[in-house]
Amino acid sequence: MSNHTGHRLSRRSLLLGAGAGALIAPLGVQAFPGRPAPFDFENAPLCRTAGEATPLTGAPRKLKLSWNANAVCSVQVPVAVDYDFFKKQNLDVELVNFSGSTDQLLEAIATGKSDAGVGMALRWLKPLEQGFDVKIVAGTHGGCLRAIAPTKSDITKVTDLKGKVVAIDDQAGPSKNFFAIQLAKAGVDPNKDVDWRQYPGNLVRLAVEKGEAQAALSSDPLAYAFLKDGEFREIGSNLDGIYRNVSCCIVGLRGSLLRDDPQVARALTQALLDAAEFSSRNPDKAAKSFLPYAPKLVTEDDLRELIKYHTHDHHPTGAHLKQELKLYADDLKVVSVIKPSTDTTKFADKIYADVFKV
């Protein structure tokens, strides 16, 4: 398993120590020499902290928040319930476990069937290109996507996937998108040089064990579970290179909430960011909150390690968030997921909102 220790350094240390390294870092299991940063992090706003938003007055505001209850990426959601971060903002939040397509989720938010949702940038950006009335208001953390291969194989880095069959859980999913981008940046055609074969998420490792594929892509907590016995190793993740300082998971709000009740939009965002920061500082408590939702093969100890591994202390808003969305849009253009003609600066500006300006 890759050793990504050291990411618990303070954000200030990372900002001051980051260089202006190249956008393409070596893709393997090595650490992150220099921790290259593509943006001007020194002048970007640091993550916000608890207490910056004044709680709403009057009766608690009722809201619906959609999330994938199986994804440890969303640990801040049960944490916000268990440790009263929603209540502290005078919010009465109903959680909706949404397992449909991203298009359906964004439509539900845009039409007011839900007020907000949490998900992955690499899954949301293409549907948002269609013009849903949903705005991304914050990132919540980085990490959770991994490429894995048998320990005894000769596959040790992402570029070794050239000419291989790779088991995936979704042809349009964030794992496929992320690693296809890295292959394309390294000069490997992800469409012609890799055979992507789709399986149910919990069976991608089994596909490799049966010889139907030589490697697999997965997301945590399953990816972490697949690595526990040492039979498989991580050959790449979305904490490699520049992505070490980029959030993968995001919060989106319905546009009408931002327009009609911006203070409520701000309060909901603040509650989720406070819960993310709390998770970073209290992985034991966060693991207990998420345990009821975790797959059975994942233990509380596993969740604790995952929460430490993921960068829940990185949750950008405002201009910093917009820069990260532009980076992802530029990346998705590399593999023709976002239209080549798209102006990514204007696109990022269109799909995000700064709730802390209200």
Side-chain angles (χ1 to χ4, degrees):
M1 192 183 306
S2 284
N3 178 13
H4 291 306
T5 58
H7 80 267
R8 309 310 302 170
L9 291 171
S10 70
R11 294 292 303 156
R12 175 62 64 184
S13 297
L14 288 174
L15 299 185
L16 294 177
L23 285 180
I24 305 173
L27 298 171
V29 298
Q30 68 275 11
F32 311 104
R35 302 210 188 303
F39 307 133
D40 181 11
F41 286 112
E42 180 64 19
N43 294 315
L46 293 174
C47 55
R48 297 178 185 273
T49 57
E52 287 193 29
T54 302
L56 302 165
T57 58
R61 309 300 175 87
K62 293 183 179 295
L63 296 170
K64 290 184 178 181
L65 173 64
S66 296
W67 71 308
N68 179 351
N70 295 319
V72 70
C73 310
S74 303
V75 65
Q76 71 279 352
V77 175
V79 164
V81 174
D82 290 351
Y83 293 93
D84 292 339
F85 289 106
F86 291 135
K87 287 185 178 179
K88 288 174 184 175
Q89 297 296 332
N90 200 22
L91 301 174
D92 180 2
V93 177
E94 176 186 348
L95 302 186
V96 179
N97 184 9
F98 196 94
S99 58
S101 71
T102 303
D103 288 53
Q104 291 171 325
L105 171 60
L106 293 176
E107 181 179 7
I109 298 172
T111 57
K113 296 175 184 175
S114 184
D115 298 292
V118 293
M120 298 197 70
L122 285 172
R123 189 181 288 278
W124 281 37
L125 262 63
K126 178 60 179 178
L128 284 175
E129 195 179 29
Q130 302 173 24
F132 287 106
D133 187 20
V134 176
K135 300 293 185 182
I136 299 172
V137 295
T140 56
H141 79 93
C144 75
L145 302 180
R146 310 186 199 227
I148 65 173
T151 305
K152 295 180 181 179
S153 76
D154 60 357
I155 302 174
T156 62
K157 56 186 182 299
V158 172
T159 50
D160 291 338
L161 298 179
K162 181 177 182 179
K164 303 296 194 297
V165 178
V166 180
I168 59 174
D169 61 1
D170 186 349
Q171 291 286 353
S175 296
K176 161 79 177 303
N177 283 339
F178 180 79
F179 290 105
I181 289 163
Q182 308 320 308
L183 287 166
K185 286 183 175 183
V188 178
D189 188 325
N191 297 315
K192 296 180 180 179
D193 295 336
V194 178
D195 183 357
W196 309 98
R197 296 189 188 175
Q198 186 168 331
Y199 298 84
N202 61 335
L203 298 181
V204 294
R205 173 177 157 154
L206 181 61
V208 180
E209 292 175 331
K210 292 173 62 177
E212 297 176 13
Q214 288 82 56
L217 308 183
S218 188
S219 59
D220 291 327
L222 282 177
Y224 182 87
F226 292 157
L227 293 167
K228 284 172 61 177
D229 62 7
E231 294 297 315
F232 279 67
R233 63 185 165 204
E234 179 184 304
I235 62 169
S237 86
N238 63 336
L239 284 182
D240 287 343
I242 61 168
Y243 301 96
R244 175 66 189 77
N245 291 319
V246 178
S247 54
C248 62
C249 293
I250 52 177
V251 179
L253 307 182
R254 60 180 170 89
S256 56
L257 179 65
L258 284 155
R259 292 188 296 271
D260 300 340
D261 213 338
Q263 296 294 344
V264 173
R266 172 176 174 153
L268 178 58
T269 305
Q270 185 71 59
L272 289 169
L273 296 188
D274 288 348
E277 187 68 22
F278 178 91
S279 300
S280 171
R281 298 180 184 184
N282 301 276
D284 291 347
K285 293 179 179 178
K288 288 182 183 297
S289 286
F290 189 77
L291 186 61
Y293 307 97
K296 298 303 180 185
L297 73 168
V298 179
T299 69
E300 186 175 328
D301 286 342
D302 294 336
L303 294 175
R304 183 184 306 108
E305 292 307 308
L306 279 170
I307 293 165
K308 291 178 181 178
Y309 168 82
H310 297 156
T311 57
H312 290 283
D313 56 349
H314 178 70
H315 26 83
T317 60
H320 190 173
L321 171 66
K322 183 166 66 171
Q323 288 177 315
E324 294 191 2
L325 294 176
K326 182 185 184 305
L327 169 65
Y328 278 131
D330 287 334
D331 278 353
L332 290 169
K333 285 178 72 171
V334 171
V335 290
S336 300
V337 172
I338 295 291
K339 292 181 290 188
S341 60
T342 298
D343 182 322
T344 55
T345 299
K346 292 181 179 178
F347 176 62
D349 190 62
K350 179 181 178 181
I351 63 174
Y352 104 109
D354 187 350
V355 293
F356 294 101
K357 279 190 173 181
V358 299

